């Protein structure tokens, strides 16, 4: 059977670049906001969230046709898990490759943002982990997973770019954690001691909360959309689904 699936190395490059640019947008706009509005944290968050909404939407449109534009280990993990019964979605080897690419991209994006603004790359001292922010990460991640996979299950994946961008933008404000909802972004933000940074000590709690949130999202998805597992190849956006063995 002829396949149009891009080879794994190309998809990995797309995931690395997409995640790097996403973190670069988050960190870079955070630095810019801090410089432009040094005395107004609310305005800083508005500037940071607006840039993230617009940037994430563009990145999904740009890289989605190549890799599906996951840019997020919990999305890739859910994709692998949901696809096991129907033999769709990522294989275990592809999952590992995606996650490594996303993590490398996340760190690289933070370093790039620091360099553009001539801010030294240093480990963040910004502690974020509290009971409230960890609950916020559970909520943010569960909603993100449910949104992405419900769109695929109902064949509306073409709407993922604006929908995911809108959700993350809203979650900046309605969650106490400002919605990291992504282990790769969380790890990347360690390397910028700026508005968008997070202290290493807060990261394990955030990642655990994100994994719990992903499990909640998958559970709700299976309850509400039983056929979701058959559409794992259309996550985050529809892309070629035939495996080519590359």
């Amino acid at each position: 059977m002829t396949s149009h699936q891009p080879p794994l190395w190309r998809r990995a490059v797309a995931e690395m670049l997409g995640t790097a640019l996403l973190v670069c947008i988050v960190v870079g706009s955070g630095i810019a906001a801090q410089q432009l509005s040094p005395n107004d944290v609310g305005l800083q968050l508005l500037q940071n969230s607006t840039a993230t909404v617009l940037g994430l939407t563009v990145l999904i449109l740009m890289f989605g046709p190549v890799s599906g534009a996951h840019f997020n280990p919990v999305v890739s993990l859910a994709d692998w898990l949901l696809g096991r019964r129907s033999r769709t979605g990522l294989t275990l080897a592809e999952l590992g490759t995606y996650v490594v690419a996303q993590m490398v991209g996340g760190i690289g994006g933070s370093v790039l943002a620091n360099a553009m603004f001539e801010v030294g790359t240093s480990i963040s001292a910004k502690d974020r982990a509290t009971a409230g922010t960890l609950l916020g990460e559970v909520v943010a991640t569960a909603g993100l997973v449910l949104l992405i996979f419900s769109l695929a299950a109902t064949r509306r994946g073409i709407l993922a770019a604006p929908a995911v961008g809108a959700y993350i933008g809203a979650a900046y404000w309605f969650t106490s954690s400002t919605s990291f909802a992504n282990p790769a972004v969380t790890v990347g933000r360690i390397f910028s001691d700026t508005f968008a940074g997070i202290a290493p000590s807060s990261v394990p709690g955030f990642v655990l909360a994100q994994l719990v949130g992903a499990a909640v999202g998958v559970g709700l998805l299976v309850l509400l959309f039983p056929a979701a597992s058959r559409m794992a190849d259309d996550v985050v956006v529809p892309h070629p689904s035939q495996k080519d063995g590359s």
Side-chain angles (χ1 to χ4, degrees):
M1 181 180 295
T2 301
S3 169
H4 300 289
Q5 177 86 332
L8 180 57
W9 69 264
R10 187 174 293 145
R11 286 178 278 150
V13 170
E15 285 296 302
M16 183 179 68
L17 287 175
T19 310
L21 290 172
L22 173 58
V23 174
C24 188
I25 289 165
V26 172
V27 173
S29 64
I31 296 171
Q34 196 171 28
Q35 293 177 350
L36 294 169
S37 309
N39 300 315
D40 192 334
V41 176
L43 185 55
Q44 290 173 12
L45 187 61
L46 178 61
Q47 294 161 339
N48 191 205
S49 61
T50 301
T52 302
V53 169
L54 298 175
L56 178 56
T57 300
V58 169
L59 292 176
I60 292 173
L61 291 171
M62 187 184 302
F63 295 108
V66 180
S67 67
H70 293 191
F71 310 152
N72 189 333
V74 297
V75 172
S76 298
L77 178 61
D79 184 67
W80 170 78
L81 182 63
L82 286 166
R84 290 314 85 218
R85 285 187 179 180
S86 56
R87 297 181 183 276
T88 57
L90 298 176
T91 66
L92 188 58
E94 289 171 329
L95 170 63
T97 302
Y98 267 48
V99 170
V100 170
Q102 291 156 357
M103 288 295 186
V104 171
I107 295 170
S110 192
V111 172
L112 176 59
N114 293 333
M116 285 195 298
F117 286 91
E118 299 182 359
V119 173
T121 293
S122 57
I123 301 302
S124 176
K126 193 167 188 175
D127 292 318
R128 292 179 181 264
T130 66
T133 56
L134 296 181
L135 178 59
E137 281 299 286
V138 172
V139 172
T141 310
L144 178 64
V145 169
L146 181 59
L147 169 64
I148 289 170
F149 286 87
S150 65
L151 288 174
T154 54
R155 300 184 183 277
R156 295 178 297 158
I158 195 169
L159 298 175
V164 171
Y167 175 81
I168 292 297
Y172 256 87
W173 292 93
F174 78 76
T175 66
S176 55
S177 65
T178 66
S179 183
F180 284 48
N182 184 332
V185 169
T186 304
V187 170
R189 288 167 72 165
I190 292 173
F191 296 91
S192 187
D193 191 19
T194 60
F195 176 79
I198 181 172
S201 59
S202 296
V203 169
F206 264 56
V207 172
L208 179 59
Q210 290 157 2
L211 292 171
V212 171
V216 172
V218 169
L220 291 172
L221 183 78
V222 171
L223 177 66
L224 297 172
F225 301 95
S229 63
R230 295 197 295 270
M231 303 300 293
D233 283 320
D234 289 334
V235 173
V236 168
V237 298
H239 56 290
S241 60
Q242 300 287 346
K243 302 297 179 187
D244 67 357
S246 297

